[in-house]
Amino acid sequence: MTAGANADLQTRWPYPRILAHRGGGALAPENTMAGMREAHARRMRGVEFDVMLAADGIPILMHDTELGRTVPGVGDLGAFDSEELGRMDAGAWFSPHFQGEPVPRLEDAVQWLRRHDVWMNIEIKPMPGHDVDTAEVVGQMVQDLFADVSDPTRRPLFSSFSVKALDAARETAPGIPRGLLVEGVPPDWESRLRSLGCVSLHCRHDRLDAGLARHIKTAGYGLMCYTVNDPARARELFSWGVDALCTDRYDVIGADFR
Ligand code: G3P
Ligand code: MG
């Protein structure tokens, strides 16, 4: 990406303003293709989802590092390869209707979302100690999958809580922009964004106030808040200049929410 294009991404948010959190949000199992299909069926134009590496080094969609919540079992998820995870049931925990929904591979999810014209905020969520290799594998894969897309606003946005992962993603995939994920906004947010070459800050909505939002926007960065499920709160955040929201409730805060 050219320096000019990067500056352009920093001064505005050229992406969808409402993102389906973990794809499925509250409507379908998180980080599954059923979740992506639900978001698309409800005309969502953007999704956020989480990515980590399976034992065989293949990136998969998953939030937790342990089995037990969204896939049955106990123990470390990193002990299983992507094929084993693909045979696990990531849907039954949500409802019997989704029984048998597999853990998807990143490549399959990206290709499906691209075909259906759904924009992606790909959260790199490494298992402990795997910040760099996760970002390198995910970065290379996504850069290759979007090599034919010249419009930077139509490429995904990476985000991560891991500074090491963001640094590695920048090295491996300079053409894919990055956002820094935080819970509360740290006092040194601006120097962190600058040194990581990030275009946006993604923070918990309940850790932001109007003044802070104004500073971040005035500095020229994109600002995304998670996880906003109340329409009145969503309106308030937009009135502060927040660019985008991640929501579980895209049935009430949908793509065309104002
Ligand atoms: O990217 C926003 C949000 O997804 C970060 O939190 O735990 O849901 O991945 P988490
Ligand atoms: Mg996430």
Side-chain angles (χ1 to χ4, degrees), residues 48 50 123 125:
E48 181 267 358
D50 309 298
E123 183 187 337
K125 212 178 217 11

Side-chain angles (χ1 to χ4, degrees), residues 28-35 62 69-72 85 88-104:
E30 67 185 51
N31 291 314
T32 65
M33 292 315 300
M62 181 60 62
R69 186 176 65 87
T70 64
V71 282
L85 289 166
M88 291 184 187
D89 185 340
W93 70 277
F94 187 87
S95 98
H97 175 70
F98 294 103
Q99 192 168 358
E101 189 63 32
V103 175

